[in-house]
Amino acid sequence: MAKKAARKKSAPKAKAKKAKAKAKTKTRKTARPAKRAVARNAAPPEAAAGPPKLTGPSVVHWEVQARDPGAQMRFFGELFGWNVDANNPQNYGMVTPAGPGSIGGGIGPTMDAPRATFYVQVPSIADTLDKAATMGAQTLMPRTDIGMIIMAQFRDPEGNVIGLVEG
């Protein structure tokens, strides 16, 4: 009987030790997933350094060419709330990008019919114009250095004017 009584007295101590050990294990188990969740949600270091690297030619600019560029600048400025800045020697209305994921553009005069054009940045304008010509396109403006950029334009087989920017 004395042994039974001794076992009964030590049993609560053993239960307390087991409960403490379980509590530590539970604490460890719940603490680890929280750390992993933070690591999974954290941005990769290269994403914080700047915009993602492009994997190929990408649209880098748009342009509206108009008979009355001033009226078009006011129209799009009021319609979309854009700040159109034409304070430059060409009086070309520059529109800055609205934020991440958007591209800037411009509004300027046309030599012929009004149109909207987008510009694609390519490594070599000459190579791109040559390839476009073999595919049925017509060069409208050959590779031209205008100071700020080197650009060109071609008309695709459907008649759309596409711009190129070298870079």
Side-chain angles (χ1 to χ4, degrees):
M1 265 180 130
K3 285 183 182 178
K4 275 188 182 179
R7 279 190 204 152
K8 281 184 184 178
K9 283 182 185 176
S10 65
K13 284 183 185 177
K15 281 184 185 177
K17 275 186 179 179
K18 281 184 182 179
K20 234 184 199 184
K22 260 189 181 178
K24 279 185 182 179
T25 306
K26 279 185 183 178
T27 305
R28 284 186 193 147
K29 284 182 183 176
T30 55
R32 283 187 185 149
K35 286 180 186 175
R36 285 187 189 137
V38 171
R40 285 183 191 146
N41 292 334
E46 62 273 3
K53 299 230 182 215
L54 302 176
T55 58
S58 189
V59 175
V60 294
H61 184 76
W62 55 264
E63 175 176 66
V64 173
Q65 294 175 315
R67 286 189 203 106
D68 185 350
Q72 287 295 80
M73 289 179 209
R74 287 187 299 279
F75 173 80
F76 286 109
E78 289 176 26
L79 178 64
F80 298 121
W82 291 345
N83 178 25
V84 183
D85 181 9
N87 187 18
N88 56 65
Q90 294 85 14
N91 199 32
Y92 184 81
M94 296 295 295
V95 179
T96 56
S102 70
I103 58 173
I107 303 169
T110 184
M111 303 276 192
D112 46 32
R115 64 179 167 264
T117 303
F118 62 88
Y119 288 78
V120 179
Q121 186 171 356
V122 296
S124 168
I125 285 177
D127 291 348
T128 305
L129 287 176
D130 288 347
K131 183 176 180 179
T134 65
M135 299 170 69
Q138 174 192 6
T139 298
L140 300 176
M141 175 196 293
R143 183 181 184 276
T144 306
D145 186 340
I146 62 168
M148 297 180 348
I149 60 168
I150 299 171
M151 63 178 285
Q153 290 183 334
F154 66 90
R155 188 177 309 279
D156 73 10
E158 290 281 327
N160 299 298
V161 176
I162 311 299
L164 301 173
V165 174
E166 195 165 85

